[in-house]
Amino acid sequence: MKKVVVKLDLHDDKAKQKAMKSVSSLAGIDSIAMDMKEKKLTVVGDIDPVHVVSKLRKTWHTEILTVGPAKEPEKKKMKGRRKTKGKKKITRRKMMIRKKMRMNKLLSLSSSTKDTIPT
């Protein structure tokens, strides 16, 4: 998986659509995103950056900004979930201990009041 960021010389939405359409015809693309403010096209997938740029250079002036591995945010999410689960187990355990202590206290109070009440 590679992430290729390319700067294009585009002026309107019609040109944006044409650029995205020309790149989408390549095999192995997972996602395409365009930032019109900065005029950056981001392509993610199992692709060759040279093929992406050669497709775009036929029509527009193109600059390669970055080429690198695509990040996988799933691993980070898993780590965060494990930590919160551990914290929940600790708080549940404390709650159960407190509940048992209250029950024992109530039972001891109720048994002592039965002894003192005359019948």
Side-chain angles (χ1 to χ4, degrees):
M1 294 288 285
K2 288 186 181 178
K3 179 179 178 181
V4 180
V5 181
V6 179
K7 186 170 183 176
L8 295 171
D9 189 24
L10 301 175
H11 299 290
D12 57 354
D13 287 335
K14 191 171 183 180
K16 170 188 158 184
Q17 288 177 346
K18 285 183 181 180
M20 291 179 81
K21 187 175 180 180
S22 67
V23 172
S24 67
S25 65
L26 295 171
I29 292 179
D30 289 336
S31 69
I32 303 171
M34 182 73 189
D35 182 13
M36 283 301 287
K37 288 182 182 176
E38 297 180 15
K39 297 183 180 182
K40 291 181 183 178
L41 179 71
T42 305
V43 183
V44 179
D46 293 323
I47 50 170
D48 185 12
V50 175
H51 289 276
V52 174
V53 173
S54 64
K55 272 273 195 190
L56 294 169
R57 280 196 177 157
K58 290 178 183 176
T59 314
W60 300 279
H61 175 54
T62 308
E63 294 177 35
I64 300 173
L65 295 179
T66 60
V67 177
K71 294 181 182 177
E72 296 181 13
E74 294 175 11
K75 291 181 182 178
K76 291 181 181 178
K77 289 182 182 179
M78 294 293 284
K79 288 180 183 176
R81 288 183 184 164
R82 288 181 189 154
K83 287 181 181 178
T84 56
K85 282 185 182 179
K87 288 181 183 178
K88 286 182 183 177
K89 286 182 184 177
I90 292 170
T91 56
R92 286 181 186 162
R93 184 173 180 212
K94 284 183 179 179
M95 288 174 56
M96 293 300 292
I97 291 170
R98 288 180 184 160
K99 188 175 181 180
K100 285 181 183 178
M101 288 174 65
R102 281 190 217 124
M103 290 300 290
N104 289 337
K105 196 173 193 179
L106 288 173
L107 288 174
S108 67
L109 287 174
S110 66
S111 64
S112 65
T113 55
K114 287 182 185 176
D115 295 335
T116 58
I117 298 175
T119 54

